[in-house]
Amino acid sequence: MARRSNAGYGFWYRLAAVLVKPLLLLLVKREWRGWQHMPVEGGFITAVNHISYFDPLTYGHYQYNSGRPPRLLAKSGLFAIPFVGMMLRNMGQIPVYRESTDAAHAFRAAVAAVNSGECVAVYPEGTLTRDPDLWPMTAKTGAARVALMTGAPVIPVAQWGAHEIVPPYAKPGQRRFRFFPRQRVTVVAGPPVDLERYRGKDLTAEVLREATEDIMAAITALLAEIRGEQPPAVRFDLRRSAKERRAQRAAEAAETVPAQAGEPAEPAEPAARPGTPEETAK
């Protein structure tokens, strides 16, 4: 597929491309499809699955070559890294703050960017998928909310292969990087997700959940096509899994509390809730 012109890219995007693209060309065999589904002009949202800490680079390369530079929602900690933070800010990427007075900044910035005709890239899952087989898991509602507030289309994007270069959950003793041989990375964009039945409705929790599930179903269908496999019938739910783990730890802790003489054992206090995984999209 012939790529579109990227003549409108600014200095900082071009500098990032000069620095990063040679490395990606060295490490990655590219299989890219679906650019024809992206609007030539006007704002839109891309909703992308997340399988590796490396895949923002492979997806960014794909989107850069589409001719529509993405404004990617990225965790705020990246903006504190010397040089990396400077590059991200100058490229117009959007920091995602958590549990602070600035937490809504990313959402407001995403809406403003879409309304001004830009591409905003969102990882709806908010973090690396916890599904054991790396299928898309349940997602946050930010992408659906931005789409329904702005009326902009949501383009589903599925990617596969970056996890072979940087495995998402390498255990002690396992290789954390697999740079050679070159790995094939497939990135595919699909047609806009049909959200017409939600337009004009109040953005209730139920509406946002249903719209979000439609977006995730579109991403999952693309990924199933790439992998040539059947996705699980039930999507992995990170919150439910965390709740079950906390309950299990509480039960195990209760069993270890010795009973007072002549009194039944009292259950131990539940274990402290683990930190919520860092999110890249609101």
Side-chain angles (χ1 to χ4, degrees), residues 98-99 236-255 267-277:
R98 297 192 61 257
E99 299 177 358
F236 183 88
D237 189 320
L238 181 58
R239 290 185 178 180
R240 182 182 299 123
S241 176
K243 184 177 180 179
E244 290 172 353
R245 289 198 303 271
R246 290 196 300 272
Q248 182 179 2
R249 285 197 295 269
E252 292 172 349
E255 293 176 357
E269 291 293 326
R273 178 176 179 171
T276 305

Side-chain angles (χ1 to χ4, degrees), residues 3 17 30-31 85 88 103 118 124 145 158 176 197 206 220 228 237 246 263 273 279:
R3 74 178 186 178
R30 296 168 293 162
E31 184 177 341
L88 291 174
E118 298 184 76
R145 185 183 292 272
R176 295 182 180 274
R197 66 192 180 101
E206 181 180 2
T220 304
D237 189 320
R246 290 196 300 272
E263 297 181 2
R273 178 176 179 171
E279 63 183 337

Side-chain angles (χ1 to χ4, degrees), residues 1-10 13-14 32 34-46 48 56 58-72 91 93 110 112-122 152-153 155 157 189:
M1 177 190 305
R3 74 178 186 178
R4 301 169 187 173
S5 170
N6 59 7
Y9 285 32
Y13 250 111
R14 292 184 177 279
W32 292 349
W35 285 333
Q36 73 273 16
H37 298 299
M38 295 184 183
V40 176
E41 58 184 19
F44 66 101
I45 301 117
T46 56
V48 192
T58 51
Y59 163 72
H61 190 186
Y62 168 88
Q63 192 65 45
Y64 178 92
N65 278 32
S66 77
R68 296 300 306 270
R71 292 191 63 181
L72 183 68
M91 291 166 63
Q93 311 304 350
V114 171
N115 282 333
S116 66
E118 298 184 76
C119 166
V120 170
V122 178
I155 307 299
V157 178

Side-chain angles (χ1 to χ4, degrees), residues 51-149:
I51 56 174
S52 167
Y53 291 115
F54 194 73
D55 70 45
L57 295 178
T58 51
Y59 163 72
H61 190 186
Y62 168 88
Q63 192 65 45
Y64 178 92
N65 278 32
S66 77
R68 296 300 306 270
R71 292 191 63 181
L72 183 68
L73 275 72
K75 62 181 182 180
S76 59
L78 293 174
F79 290 76
I81 302 174
F83 186 73
V84 172
M86 179 193 69
M87 291 291 295
L88 291 174
R89 284 189 292 272
N90 282 289
M91 291 166 63
Q93 311 304 350
I94 301 172
V96 176
Y97 299 90
R98 297 192 61 257
E99 299 177 358
S100 74
T101 56
D102 294 324
H105 169 78
F107 176 74
R108 293 193 300 267
V111 169
V114 171
N115 282 333
S116 66
E118 298 184 76
C119 166
V120 170
V122 178
Y123 284 117
E125 296 158 284
T127 186
L128 292 174
T129 181
R130 274 14 181 217
D131 182 271
D133 295 317
L134 303 184
W135 290 100
M137 61 180 182
T138 55
K140 301 179 184 299
T141 60
R145 185 183 292 272
V146 173
L148 295 175
M149 286 189 65

